[in-house]
Amino acid sequence: MAITQTGARLSSSEVAPEQPLASLADDVRTGLLSRPRWLSPKYFYDDRGSALFEAICATPEYYPSRTEAALLEAHGQEIIEHAAPDHMLELGSGSSRKTRHLLDACDALDKSCQYWPFDVSAQMMLDAGAQLVADYDWLAVHALIGDYTGGLTNVPLPEDGRRLIVFLGGTLGNFEPGEARAMLEQIAGLMRGDDQLLLGVDRVKDTATLEAAYDDAEGVTADFNRNVLRVLNRELEADFPVDDYRHRALFDRDKARIEMRLGADHAHRVTLATLGTAIDIDAGEEIVTEFSHKFTPDTLAALLESAGLAMDRHFEAEGGAYSLVLARRA
């Protein structure tokens, strides 16, 4: 594993996946060429999609990001005091914006640690890391470049010191239940007796609030959803009529999840030149683009237990709107 030094306290390395990762072409062949049709939500996040998601977080309806941030700000010192981390590994760190609440808590408690952001976007992490080491003179950042869904076996965390593994943004809810358990089992496999997991998850609540969060009045989420078709048009030389697809967000209470879909306004044929194939889309036919599972305290505790973890601390937003939990190996 080659380590790149970009400054005295900023470095990076690539993390090889332990298992082969499906390409865009592989996922499209598996999901879009079958029925019912589906696409992986990870393809939302090209440059345009990432900018649109930032805009979603600023909409009045999208409560998860600001609610989670408020919990981190309110309970950051308690979290750091309890976990006492020497190393903080964040899965899917992005711009590390919300992580600053934890670093501020470290600062206030005179507790230094090394930060290990793990994400696919090297430039985003290095840009964020450069700003972090400028703002916190005690902090060292080692960016891990890779896709954490490819497995955590090759993550190069040091053996010494306590670890806090951070998994925020309700991202666990994007996994199917079996996949979520497997992800938590991998995290548990990284942890030793005194390590902690900080997990953020969204909660089951009234249907209107949930559906509005994924279908804002300004139409930002609709544009974000349709953007995945623009990605396919660009990367696979496809010809989806992007503006002819309707965005839908529905809460399935039986499965406790939001389903984001794209529905075709009319029947048409789509050519995917890179794949050498074409598909016929019926009028009204839908493509599922994202699941976002929501939890109750009981279903969250059961999921953690099934993965060999136990809840140590539970921080809830007002009305049980959102949960931050600290968990340890059972």
Side-chain angles (χ1 to χ4, degrees):
M1 177 190 64
I3 296 177
T4 301
Q5 293 287 151
T6 57
R9 292 183 288 122
L10 178 59
S11 57
S12 66
S13 58
E14 294 188 8
V15 179
E18 64 183 82
Q19 57 201 25
L21 290 166
S23 67
L24 171 60
D26 293 332
D27 282 337
V28 167
R29 286 190 184 97
T30 302
L32 197 60
L33 304 188
S34 61
R35 279 193 168 96
R37 303 190 195 277
W38 59 269
L39 289 167
S40 171
K42 67 183 179 182
Y43 300 116
F44 284 135
Y45 296 98
D46 63 350
D47 289 343
R48 187 175 189 275
S50 296
L52 284 167
F53 183 72
E54 291 296 316
I56 287 170
C57 292
T59 62
E61 297 92 341
Y62 195 75
Y63 63 86
S65 290
R66 60 177 174 269
T67 305
E68 184 179 67
L71 285 172
L72 289 166
E73 183 175 16
H75 301 288
Q77 290 192 31
E78 184 178 349
I79 290 166
I80 294 301
E81 284 181 319
H82 183 73
D86 299 296
H87 303 279
M88 190 185 305
L89 167 67
E90 183 171 11
L91 304 180
S93 56
S95 64
S96 302
R97 180 180 56 195
K98 284 183 287 192
T99 319
R100 283 178 171 270
H101 295 298
L102 298 174
L103 298 176
D104 287 343
C106 289
D107 213 26
L109 295 167
D110 198 24
K111 166 66 179 170
S112 63
C113 70
Q114 185 168 5
Y115 178 46
W116 303 71
F118 189 3
D119 215 326
V120 295
S121 175
Q123 195 59 54
M124 178 182 290
M125 285 190 293
L126 292 174
D127 289 346
Q131 190 60 57
L132 289 173
V133 298
D135 292 344
Y136 303 93
D137 58 13
W138 48 266
L139 182 66
V141 176
H142 186 98
L144 302 174
I145 304 161
D147 186 338
Y148 64 82
T149 64
L152 303 178
T153 300
N154 296 325
V155 173
L157 280 178
E159 290 299 318
D160 63 304
R162 293 165 64 112
R163 294 96 162 258
L164 174 62
I165 300 173
V166 180
F167 196 23
L168 298 174
T171 305
L172 188 70
N174 295 138
F175 294 87
E176 291 278 22
E179 296 171 340
R181 183 177 64 252
M183 186 74 238
L184 291 176
E185 287 173 344
Q186 289 188 59
I187 292 172
L190 283 182
M191 297 169 67
R192 298 172 303 196
D194 55 358
D195 294 341
Q196 294 273 320
L197 165 66
L198 178 64
L199 178 67
V201 297
D202 198 8
R203 293 276 291 275
V204 171
K205 54 184 65 66
D206 67 280
T207 299
T209 298
L210 284 167
E211 291 185 351
Y214 292 83
D215 193 8
D216 60 278
E218 296 178 49
V220 182
T221 311
D223 198 13
F224 174 75
N225 197 9
R226 283 190 290 266
N227 189 62
V228 74
L229 300 182
R230 296 186 181 94
V231 172
L232 299 190
N233 284 351
R234 182 180 67 245
E235 300 297 330
L236 298 180
E237 298 180 70
D239 57 359
F240 281 94
V242 176
D243 293 334
D244 294 343
Y245 278 79
R246 292 171 290 102
H247 164 71
R248 296 184 70 205
L250 303 172
F251 182 56
D252 184 330
R253 190 159 291 277
D254 290 338
K255 295 180 179 178
R257 71 187 187 192
I258 283 281
E259 297 182 0
M260 289 217 314
R261 306 174 183 177
L262 290 170
D265 277 343
H266 56 84
H268 58 282
R269 170 166 286 198
V270 175
T271 300
L272 299 125
T274 301
L275 302 186
T277 191
I279 54 176
D280 292 314
I281 306 286
D282 296 333
E285 187 173 0
E286 293 185 326
I287 303 168
V288 175
T289 54
E290 184 180 62
F291 295 140
S292 183
H293 292 83
K294 310 302 176 183
F295 297 88
T296 67
D298 288 343
T299 60
L300 178 56
L303 177 58
L304 290 167
E305 182 180 0
S306 72
L309 295 164
M311 198 179 299
D312 252 4
R313 297 283 191 279
H314 187 184
F315 308 101
E316 295 182 277
E318 184 178 354
Y322 200 91
S323 286
L324 278 180
V325 299
L326 276 169
R328 55 176 171 76
R329 288 191 64 144

